[in-house]
């Protein structure tokens, strides 16, 4: 099993963050800045980037730090390549030491309402926005290790979701993409051992961010009902837990008790964070998750008549 002997320190590391203009992406970028890193943030909205850059400056720890903000769409290979090239320029073309991939969006809805366009858009906004950055990262072109002297360590941090462990009604254009991110991270965690690059994937639950407020405006009523007792966290809390996980070398990083239960219950061959605690969380999941799922299914069935009316109103049911 591959790992690093020392805790990772972002101090004076060249860090590249997508989705860095708001929410958990910005909170993570600010935390890197507070720890002395050079931080380069990327998103599509220039106005938000300008404001985010001011927040990074406020987190500055020393005069050596360099902060930049770039407007690129990273859901294409060309866009990702252009963003990385721009971020590498101030360092004489050297690629970033660490990539934080938080770009993504959620627009909940029923699967029967989706179109080919909406399904493809979901993949572009969530999966491809992270996959293409990893694909075009210059780190992937590094030669396999030939000697200790040539070993260059790197970091890639993907952002999945608790909905990358399970799913339910209302998340048909979001959860599959988060599952896909987990699959990609599992593959690269193995493959990138050849290049001295450590891969992490975070699985946050509800994050109280502007994006969360926006998705709740269009979320199906039955989904809101199921999630009404969910406890979320602020972007700052989530970012701190993720950075702590990255520093300690964890592969799967979960941010709360429920996340740990789902992680331990669906681990497969994934490396454990703690054999003892994961066994306890797995046992809890073995007993509690089927009971919880039955309650979810019961809630869904209670909305059957309401859902039929909903579909008729929208001409989806004759």
């Amino acid at each position: 099993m591959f790992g690093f002997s020392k805790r990772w320190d972002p101090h004076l590391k060249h860090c590249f963050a997508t989705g860095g203009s708001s929410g958990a992406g910005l909170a993570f970028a600010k935390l890197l800045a507070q720890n002395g890193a050079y931080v380069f943030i990327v998103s599509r909205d220039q106005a938000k980037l300008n404001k985010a850059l001011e927040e990074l400056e406020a987190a500055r720890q020393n005069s050596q730090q360099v902060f930049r903000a770039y407007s690129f769409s990273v859901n294409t290979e060309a866009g990702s390549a252009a963003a990385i090239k721009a971020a590498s320029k101030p360092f004489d073309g050297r690629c970033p030491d660490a990539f934080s991939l938080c770009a993504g969006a959620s627009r909940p809805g029923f699967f029967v309402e989706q179109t080919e366009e909406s399904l493809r858009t979901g993949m572009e906004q969530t999966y491809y926005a992270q996959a293409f950055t990893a694909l075009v990262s210059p780190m992937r072109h590094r030669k396999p290790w030939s000697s200790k002297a040539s070993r260059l360590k790197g970091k890639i941090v993907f952002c999945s979701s608790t909905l990358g462990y399970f799913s339910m009604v209302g998340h048909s254009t979001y959860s599959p993409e988060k599952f896909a991110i987990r699959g990609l991270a599992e593959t690269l965690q193995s493959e990138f051992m050849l290049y001295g690059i450590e891969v992490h994937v975070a699985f946050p639950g509800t994050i109280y961010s502007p994006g969360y407020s926006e998705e709740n405006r269009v979320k199906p009523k039955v989904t809101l009902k199921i999630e009404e007792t969910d406890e979320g966290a602020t972007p700052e809390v989530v970012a701190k837990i993720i950075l702590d996980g990255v520093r300690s070398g964890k592969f799967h990083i979960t941010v709360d008790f429920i996340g740990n239960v789902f992680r331990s219950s669906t681990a497969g061959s994934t490396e454990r964070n703690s054999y003892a605690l994961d066994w306890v969380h797995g046992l809890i999941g073995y007993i509690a998750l089927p009971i919880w799922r039955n309650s979810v299914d019961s809630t869904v069935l209670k909305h059957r008549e309401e859902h039929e009316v909903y579909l008729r109103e929208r001409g989806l049911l004759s």
Side-chain angles (χ1 to χ4, degrees):
M1 189 176 297
F2 178 80
F4 295 110
S5 59
K6 296 182 179 180
R7 282 175 62 87
W8 183 71
D9 184 1
H11 182 68
L12 298 183
K13 295 291 194 306
H14 179 193
C15 299
F16 178 95
T18 66
S21 65
S22 64
L26 174 58
F28 193 77
K30 288 165 60 178
L31 199 54
L32 290 171
Q34 290 167 6
N35 280 271
Y38 307 120
V39 183
F40 293 67
I41 56 174
V42 178
S43 79
R44 289 178 294 183
D45 192 319
Q46 188 62 58
K48 289 183 178 180
L49 281 169
N50 293 340
K51 184 176 179 181
L53 193 57
E54 293 177 0
E55 295 187 42
L56 290 180
E57 286 291 348
R60 178 182 291 279
Q61 299 298 301
N62 61 70
S63 60
Q64 293 178 269
Q65 287 176 277
V66 179
F67 303 136
R68 296 285 189 275
Y70 301 104
S71 176
F72 289 99
S73 294
V74 293
N75 59 356
T76 66
E77 183 178 359
S80 292
I84 293 172
K85 182 178 180 180
S88 302
K89 189 174 181 180
F91 291 85
D92 296 322
R94 181 174 62 84
C95 75
D97 299 301
F99 289 80
S100 167
L101 310 181
C102 292
S106 172
R107 188 169 180 82
F110 295 110
F111 187 68
V112 295
E113 294 181 287
Q114 305 308 315
T115 62
E116 179 178 343
E117 180 183 2
S118 67
L119 292 177
R120 290 185 182 278
T121 297
M123 286 296 292
E124 288 180 3
Q125 291 181 336
T126 303
Y127 175 73
Y128 289 135
Q130 297 189 38
F132 281 129
T133 302
L135 176 66
V136 303
S137 163
M139 290 195 296
R140 74 184 181 96
H141 296 299
R142 290 177 175 172
K143 296 180 180 180
W145 292 358
S146 57
S147 68
K148 289 185 178 180
S150 66
R151 298 183 182 185
L152 299 174
K153 298 176 182 179
K155 292 278 186 182
I156 295 181
V157 185
F158 291 96
C159 188
S160 182
S161 164
T162 305
L163 286 166
Y165 287 136
F166 82 102
S167 194
M168 61 183 182
V169 61
H171 293 295
S172 59
T173 60
Y174 184 69
S175 182
E177 290 85 350
K178 292 300 188 179
F179 269 86
I181 289 171
R182 175 185 178 177
L184 178 63
E186 295 277 356
T187 303
L188 299 186
Q189 189 267 346
S190 175
E191 181 177 331
F192 280 10
M193 290 180 183
L194 296 169
Y195 305 96
I197 298 167
E198 190 169 53
V199 174
H200 310 265
V201 55
F203 296 84
T206 297
I207 303 175
Y208 296 133
S209 65
Y212 176 67
S213 300
E214 182 64 27
E215 72 177 69
N216 274 349
R217 292 169 57 183
V218 297
K219 190 173 289 182
K221 291 182 180 179
V222 61
T223 309
L224 287 170
K225 179 65 178 177
I226 294 169
E227 296 178 350
E228 66 181 2
T229 59
D230 283 4
E231 294 185 1
T234 65
E236 291 72 23
V237 168
V238 171
K240 184 180 185 305
I241 294 172
I242 293 175
L243 182 58
D244 286 345
V246 171
R247 289 180 121 168
S248 61
K250 291 180 179 178
F251 175 34
H252 279 217
I253 302 170
T254 43
V255 304
D256 54 22
F257 173 74
I258 292 298
N260 282 320
V261 170
F262 275 110
R263 176 182 56 78
S264 301
S265 299
T266 63
S269 63
T270 300
E271 64 182 59
R272 271 44 174 187
N273 291 345
S274 165
Y275 279 101
L277 286 177
D278 286 0
W279 183 85
V280 172
H281 287 137
L283 179 61
I284 293 171
Y286 182 81
I287 298 170
L289 289 182
I291 297 172
W292 172 81
R293 187 68 195 211
N294 284 336
S295 71
V296 169
D297 294 345
S298 177
T299 300
V300 172
L301 290 174
K302 288 177 182 178
H303 280 74
R304 180 177 285 174
E305 291 185 6
E306 179 183 285
H307 183 58
E308 183 176 333
V309 172
Y310 175 89
L311 293 179
R312 289 186 186 281
E313 290 176 347
R314 284 155 180 78
L316 297 174
L317 189 67
S318 57

